[in-house]
Amino acid sequence: MNAISKSLWHAYLAVAVTRFKMVLQYRAAAFAGFGTQLFWGFIKVMVFVAFFEATNEVQPMTFSEVLVYIWLGQGLLALLPWNVDAEIANDIRTGGVVYELLRPLDLYSFWFARTLAFRAAPTLLRLTPMLIFAYWVLPLIGFSEWALPLPDSFASGLLFVFSVVATLALSTAFTMVMHVALIWTISGEGFNRMMPGIVPVFAGLIVPLPLFPDWLQPFLYWQPFRGMADVPFRIYSGHIPVDEAFFEIAMQWFWFAVIVVLGYRLLIRARTRLVVQGG
Amino acid sequence: MPQIFVENLEKRFRVAERKAGLWGAVRGLVHRRYREVEALHEVSFSIEQGELVGYIGPNGAGKSTTIKILSGILVPSGGRCEVNGLIPWENRIKHVAHIGVVFGQRTQLWWDLPVIESFELLRDIYRVSPADFTRTSDELIELLELSPLLDVPVRQLSLGQRMRCDLAASLIHQPDILFLDEPTIGLDAVAKLAMRSFVQRQNKERGTTVLLTTHDMDDIEALCTRLLLINHGTLLMDGTVKDLRSDERRVLVDFEGVPQLSAEHASFARERNGSRVIFRVRGRVPEFIADITAHYSVHDLMVEHPPIEETVAELYRKSVR
C-alpha cells in the first residue's frame, strides 16, 4: 500500500471511529435494549421448550441448536439493517449533506464508514452483556438447560467470528441502500416502520429458517437476509458443518458485493438529481 | 488564466409545484407539475488569486447556487467554470482539497463532539500531516481565541463562538480559496468585527482568495476591494465599492430655528424635521454649502455618502424582470 492510499484508508477509519465513539454515548438506550432483548429471549426459549415437548418427530434443528440461534439472535439484533442513521437522515433533510460533498472523499465510502460504525457500536454494547448473561449467569441462577452452549468446535467458533464480520459488512451495505434511498424519500420514517417487519423474518430471528416448511426453503436460501443471522448462528452451533461454512461465508460476501454495487449505482443516480435545499 | 473563471454559467432547477388545498394535494399524487426556475443566467466573471470579492444580492438571487457550483456540489445546466484549472464538479475530490467553505446557516462541525475533535477529524479527512496540523491549528486557535472553546461540544456553543470555530475548521487544510456564504449572519457587533479582521488578515497575509456573500453592506465596505452584484440570476454589476457610489451626497443641515427655504433650495430637500433638513446634492457640494450658509444661519452641518443599502436597493428594484 503506498502512502497516499494508506492515509486515505486512515481518513475513512477516522470517520468510522468518531461515529463509533458517538454512538457509544447512547448507553441508556443500550441498557434498555438489553433488558428488552433478555425478556424476549426468555419468551422465545419458553415457546421452543413447549414446541419440543409437544413433538415426537425429529425436527430439522435440535433444542441446543435453537438455543444458540435465540441467544445469538438476541445479542446481534442491533446488527440487522432495520433502521436508518438519524444523523445521516437529518443531514439529507436539512441539506447538511453539502459539507459531506466538500470533503475530499468518495461519498459512498464516507457514508459507508459512518454506517459501519452506526451498525457496529450498538451491537457491541448489547452483544457483550448478552453473551455474558446467556453463557455465565443463566447456569448460576438455575437455568443451565436454557444457557447458551459453547461453539460446536474450535473451528466452528473461529468461522463464526469470520461470518459475523461478513454479516456486519452485508448489513452495512444494505443500510447504505436505505441511506441512499433517503435522497428520494427525504424522511427515514418509512424504512424505520417497514424494515423491522421484514428483515427479522427473512434473517431468521422470528422463527429459525430451517424450521420453515420445505417448500419455502429454496426461496429462503436465495436471499441476502439469511447471511445477516441464520448463517453465522448455524455455523456456531455446527448445524452448518465446518466444510460447508466456507461456502456459506463466501455467499455472504457475494451478497455483500451485489448490494454494494446496487447502493453505489443508486448513489450515482441520486447525485445527478441531488438538489441541495436552500440553493 | 485567472484562479476562478466563470463564463455564461447557467443553472435551472425543476421545482415540483401543486395547487393549494386538499384537491391540489390529491391531484399532486397523480399528476406532478414542474416549474423551471432559472437560478443563474449567463453569469460571467473571473477572480485572480489574492482578491477579496464581495458577492451580494437579495435572497434567492443565485449567490449560494454560484458558490455551490464553484465548490463542486452542484452541476450547472450550462456554461464554463474552472477553479485552479479544474472543473469543480468533474474533479470534485481533487478540487475540494484546495478550497475551504463556510455556510453561515449550518455548521460543518460535528454536533456532539468537542470542537478539537472535529478539527482532528478534519485533519484526518484532509490528510494534513501532524506537523502542519499543529502549526495551523495553533495559529487559528490563537487568532480566533478558541482555546476556551476547544473542549466544549459544538451544540453548547453560542452562534458567534460556533462561527469562529467553523471559520477555523474551513482553514485546517490551508486552502488557497475560501468561500464564505453569509458568514456574519446573526452575529453581534463584536463577533462581526472579529470575523472581518480575521478574514482580512487571512487574505492579506496568506494571500487566500476570498469570495464572500453577505447582506451586510458594512461587511462589504470594510472588507472588499471588489463587488459582484447579482439579482434574478443575472450579474448586474462587477466593480469596486467606489463604482457603486454616485457623486450624490447627503447634506445634513441643522438650522437655527425652522428655516424658510427658497424654492430653489427646497427642491434639493429630501427630508425635513423641524430645524433639520437633509438635502440630496449631485456634484458641486462645496458651492451648495457656501450658498446655504450665505443665505441662512446654520447651527451645524454634515456631508455623507448616501447609505450603500439605498444604492443597492435601488439597483435591485431596477432589475425587476
Side-chain angles (χ1 to χ4, degrees), chain B residues 169-223:
Chain B
S170 70
L171 294 168
I172 293 280
H173 57 294
Q174 295 186 282
D176 324 324
I177 305 178
L178 188 57
F179 295 122
L180 302 172
D181 195 4
E182 303 190 10
T184 53
I185 195 162
L187 296 189
D188 62 44
V190 178
K192 266 186 195 175
L193 288 176
M195 172 71 88
R196 280 180 203 147
S197 70
F198 178 79
V199 170
Q200 199 148 37
R201 196 191 144 106
Q202 184 73 22
N203 172 259
K204 284 257 155 59
E205 292 185 5
R206 292 210 160 267
T208 311
T209 312
V210 181
L211 179 66
L212 135 146
T213 80
T214 183
H215 290 296
D216 187 332
M217 292 305 149
D218 294 336
D219 286 348
I220 299 285
E221 292 206 71
L223 285 177

Side-chain angles (χ1 to χ4, degrees), chain A residues 228-250:
Chain A
M228 298 173 194
D230 180 67
V231 171
F233 299 173
R234 281 162 56 207
I235 289 177
Y236 181 102
S237 67
H239 192 268
I240 294 175
V242 170
D243 54 340
E244 281 176 39
F246 292 99
F247 174 76
E248 291 287 357
I249 293 171

Side-chain angles (χ1 to χ4, degrees), chain A residues 7 80 133 165 214 254 266:
Chain A
S7 68
L80 290 185
F133 187 88
V165 172
D214 286 343
F254 163 76
L266 213 57

Side-chain angles (χ1 to χ4, degrees), chain A residues 15 21 24 32 35 43-44 47 79 123 129 150 160 167 192 195 200 206-207 220 230 233 235 239 256 261 266 273 278:
Chain A
V15 171
K21 281 193 285 189
L24 283 185
I43 292 193
K44 279 186 187 170
V47 167
L79 201 53
T123 304
L150 282 173
F160 165 75
T167 297
N192 288 346
M195 298 322 274
I206 305 297
V207 174
L220 291 173
D230 180 67
F233 299 173
I235 289 177
H239 192 268
F256 167 75
V261 169
L266 213 57
R273 78 177 293 274

